[in-house]
Amino acid sequence: QVRLVESGGGSVQSGESLRLSCAATGVIYGRYCMAWFRQTPGKEREAVAEIDSAGRAWYVESVKGRFTISETNEQNMPNLQMNSLKPEDTAKYYCAIRSSVDDSCRAVSFWGQGTQVTVSS
């Protein structure tokens, strides 16, 4: 049984930074993609950043240049460095593991419970 646990969320002022981490219990077999999603009430969960099984990073346009996704050496889990935060970044952020086929990311296999990020102006 794989369980993902996020940490690092909190309340900050506009322009400040936060770093989100994701820890896993259990073993994830095979190649996989690591991702961060976010969701606000009444809206669909959206992908924010992702690393595929070939190590390539992808970002949603709204966070390019401000967010950086990286992989921890210890657990091969994703971190998300968020700089120059804006009020519109306020959301609950979720760590996710997606299956990978031929280095292409597929459906989410595991979700974390989420960590709240609140940015005030």
Side-chain angles (χ1 to χ4, degrees):
Q1 181 76 15
V2 174
R3 182 168 172 254
L4 306 180
V5 179
E6 302 92 340
S7 61
S11 296
V12 295
Q13 298 287 319
S14 181
E16 294 184 342
S17 300
L18 282 173
R19 183 177 180 84
L20 305 183
S21 297
C22 180
T25 58
V27 177
I28 302 173
Y29 294 97
R31 295 170 68 82
Y32 54 88
C33 304
M34 298 176 282
W36 286 93
F37 287 72
R38 66 186 178 188
Q39 188 172 26
T40 54
K43 292 190 176 182
E44 288 191 5
R45 195 171 294 187
E46 69 163 351
V48 175
E50 185 170 80
I51 297 179
D52 69 19
S53 51
R56 297 169 297 207
W58 168 90
Y59 300 91
V60 69
E61 190 65 34
S62 60
V63 308
K64 282 183 181 177
R66 300 187 298 122
F67 290 13
T68 303
I69 188 170
S70 60
E71 181 180 342
T72 63
N73 292 328
E74 300 82 15
Q75 276 197 314
N76 300 119
M77 284 288 113
N79 296 319
L80 187 67
Q81 178 67 39
M82 305 185 295
N83 297 331
S84 302
L85 282 161
K86 303 176 181 180
E88 51 264 43
D89 295 316
T90 295
K92 195 166 189 179
Y93 284 71
Y94 297 86
C95 172
I97 298 299
R98 299 176 66 179
S99 59
S100 177
V101 178
D102 296 329
D103 290 333
S104 175
C105 300
R106 303 299 176 92
V108 174
S109 302
F110 306 104
W111 288 103
Q113 293 299 306
T115 184
Q116 180 66 36
V117 171
T118 302
V119 185
S120 54
S121 57

